[in-house]
Amino acid sequence: MNEKQLSRSRVLYVIEAGVEYFISILVASTFLATLTNYLHFDTATTGIISSFISLGCVFQLLAMVVFRGRVKKTVIVFSIVNQLLFTLLYVVPLFEGDDGVKQGVFIALILLAYLIYNVAHPAKISWLMSLVEDKRRGRFTAIKEVVSLISGTLFTFGMGFVIDYYEAKNDLKSAFIVIAIGMVALTVFHTLTMIFTVEKETPTEEKRSLKNVFSVLKDKNVIKVTVVFSLWYLASYVTTPFYGAYQRADDGLAFPMWFISILSAVYAIVRSVFSYVWGSYADKYSFANMIRICFAIAGVGFLANVFCTPENGWVVYTIYYVLTAIAMAGINSALINLCFDYVDTSRRRDALAVSQAISGVVGFLATTAVSPLVSYIEKSGNMLFGISVHAPQVTSLIAVVLTGACIIYVSIFMAKKPTECLK
């Protein structure tokens, strides 16, 4: 394997990540809400379906047991199946029949798709990142994220136009057909990028059990990191899964897809810029200090949404979106790097997997727990205690409180320097 092959494979990895991001866009947030609205899901159920992404982290633990040695062929097969299942989500609305049956099939397809995706994802990342030199990983990851964000914004504009065009003609089924065909083409392209990417020789690992993986919870520093993960997922998933439906609902913000595409563009630009800003800050002052500031910014964003109504939504939701982009530019990186800062090298991989799995369950349960409240407010004509209010405003207030808990926890339990914790 020569440098030319490795260089070509790294370029293919950047392209692969972008194409995979395109597919993920089409099965999340407002695109998912468009599908679920068409299938007559209520907002609460749409929120639970959106949180399947969080629950999927649990399945990543299976990868640590299933995948050993060479993984390329298996990962490619898993990816093809996963993406075709996502494509079928746009096929379900095309059939006539009982809404309950179609809703059941839709839920089964998206659950199975995320299960397969998450089982293969850690092995895929391990394979592709092994092609990048250690000293270049930071810059390479930044380039990969920026390319995905910017190209994803253009892709969102295109697909948003398709939805708006056919929605204006009262013919969403045609939009679903166009998107489904596009997803098949993306699946073929994505598969080719992986086929032509090389795989390094890797030693076959010994077979492990989930019991071995979860043994890292005996380490108090792993528990600290897991609690930070879980508190953030609790704060985030108690409200964000309901935002997609709120943006599209006729009695909600009623955003057209072109405006949502503009929001995505602003988000991509802001997050790309602040990714470098937060990275430099964390290198100088620590990831614990950085994530506290990011949590505070996220909390202000949630607070803005407490006051977000159909009358002021275009302005207030934009403020929330920009603040979220600034915060998430640091939070995602900080969560992973806190694991590297506070956990011994030999336990890092298992600690990260367990932290993501536990927080994923917490996030899903948070969405499920608040869903009855969302349903109650909607069925009451957007009223609570005699006050006219939309459900996402109430869940945003809960998120503000929980984000405050994140800041307090990090301030108290992550006060020590990482080097002191590892002694």
Side-chain angles (χ1 to χ4, degrees):
M1 190 178 300
N2 54 47
E3 181 54 36
K4 185 177 180 180
Q5 289 176 307
L6 289 172
S7 179
R8 183 195 67 197
S9 294
R10 287 191 288 268
V11 172
L12 287 172
Y13 180 20
V14 173
I15 297 172
E16 179 275 334
V19 176
E20 185 176 67
Y21 182 54
F22 294 168
I23 295 174
S24 72
I25 288 171
L26 294 173
V27 293
S29 191
T30 48
F31 285 96
L32 178 63
T34 300
L35 278 171
T36 55
N37 285 344
Y38 191 87
L39 292 171
H40 303 119
F41 284 100
D42 58 29
T43 302
T45 307
T46 298
I48 293 174
I49 293 172
S50 298
S51 67
F52 285 167
I53 300 172
S54 167
L55 187 62
C57 293
V58 177
F59 303 126
Q60 293 190 16
L61 291 174
L62 296 177
M64 304 183 72
V65 179
V66 174
F67 287 93
R68 291 176 291 146
R70 284 185 170 271
V71 300
K72 178 177 175 177
K73 290 182 180 178
T74 309
V75 165
I76 290 175
V77 172
F78 273 51
S79 294
I80 292 172
V81 175
N82 151 246
Q83 290 165 3
L84 290 179
L85 287 171
F86 278 147
T87 302
L88 289 176
L89 296 178
Y90 281 89
V91 176
V92 172
L94 304 180
F95 291 97
E96 301 296 333
D98 180 70
D99 281 347
V101 174
K102 289 192 288 186
Q103 289 174 355
V105 172
F106 186 91
I107 291 173
L109 286 172
I110 197 168
L111 261 177
L112 184 59
Y114 275 118
L115 187 155
I116 293 172
Y117 170 82
N118 281 284
V119 169
H121 186 68
K124 188 192 76 172
I125 294 301
S126 178
W127 155 36
L128 296 175
M129 284 303 292
S130 71
L131 306 175
V132 183
E133 294 178 25
D134 287 343
K135 63 182 180 180
R136 294 182 181 177
R137 282 182 181 172
R139 284 171 292 173
F140 179 85
T141 303
I143 291 171
K144 180 165 64 71
E145 179 168 322
V146 170
V147 169
S148 291
L149 286 171
I150 294 175
S151 60
T153 297
L154 297 175
F155 181 77
T156 301
F157 267 109
M159 293 297 100
F161 173 79
V162 171
I163 295 288
D164 280 342
Y165 176 78
Y166 285 105
E167 193 170 41
K169 298 174 67 174
N170 198 29
D171 184 21
L172 269 178
K173 281 190 175 181
S174 293
F176 296 155
I177 292 172
V178 172
I179 292 175
I181 292 172
M183 290 180 76
V184 171
L186 287 172
T187 298
V188 172
F189 189 33
H190 182 261
T191 302
L192 290 173
T193 62
M194 291 193 292
I195 288 174
F196 290 107
T197 298
V198 297
E199 181 181 22
K200 286 185 174 181
E201 286 281 356
T202 54
T204 301
E205 298 181 58
E206 293 182 8
K207 189 172 181 179
R208 309 174 73 216
S209 67
L210 290 180
K211 184 178 179 181
N212 298 139
V213 177
F214 275 100
S215 66
V216 296
L217 289 175
K218 295 177 181 178
D219 185 330
K220 65 179 182 180
N221 289 323
V222 175
I223 294 175
K224 286 181 182 179
V225 173
T226 302
V227 172
V228 176
F229 267 83
S230 299
L231 282 173
W232 170 244
Y233 270 62
L234 187 62
S236 180
Y237 276 85
V238 81
T239 191
T240 54
F242 305 106
Y243 287 166
Y246 189 43
Q247 290 177 68
R248 293 289 288 159
D250 292 334
D251 62 343
L253 301 179
F255 289 161
M257 289 300 295
W258 65 262
F259 180 68
I260 292 170
S261 299
I262 290 175
L263 286 178
S264 298
V266 172
Y267 181 94
I269 293 169
V270 173
R271 182 165 170 175
S272 297
V273 171
F274 275 87
S275 290
Y276 292 99
V277 173
W278 290 130
S280 299
Y281 181 90
D283 286 340
K284 188 174 182 180
Y285 297 105
S286 85
F287 283 98
N289 282 325
M290 184 260 274
I291 202 170
R292 280 192 302 180
I293 298 173
C294 290
F295 281 154
I297 295 171
V300 174
F302 288 134
L303 183 61
N305 262 355
V306 173
F307 303 99
C308 184
T309 65
E311 290 74 26
N312 63 23
W314 289 61
V315 175
V316 177
Y317 196 83
T318 299
I319 293 172
Y320 155 76
Y321 221 58
V322 170
L323 290 172
T324 299
I326 295 171
M328 292 307 298
I331 290 173
N332 276 359
S333 171
L335 287 174
I336 293 173
N337 280 288
L338 280 178
C339 187
F340 279 74
D341 277 351
Y342 287 85
V343 180
D344 186 75
T345 305
S346 62
R347 297 190 180 100
R348 285 174 182 170
R349 186 180 68 167
D350 289 355
L352 186 58
V354 170
S355 294
Q356 288 178 327
I358 292 176
S359 59
V361 173
V362 168
F364 179 77
L365 292 177
T367 304
T368 305
V370 82
S371 290
L373 174 62
V374 172
S375 294
Y376 174 79
I377 294 172
E378 288 192 337
K379 290 176 182 177
S380 300
N382 294 322
M383 298 288 291
L384 183 65
F385 305 128
I387 302 172
S388 178
V389 66
H390 289 266
Q393 292 178 264
V394 178
T395 58
S396 294
L397 181 59
I398 298 171
V400 172
V401 175
L402 292 171
T403 306
C406 292
I407 297 169
I408 292 171
Y409 184 86
V410 173
S411 299
I412 295 174
F413 294 99
M414 297 290 195
K416 285 186 177 181
K417 293 180 180 180
T419 50
E420 295 175 3
C421 290
L422 292 175
K423 287 180 180 178

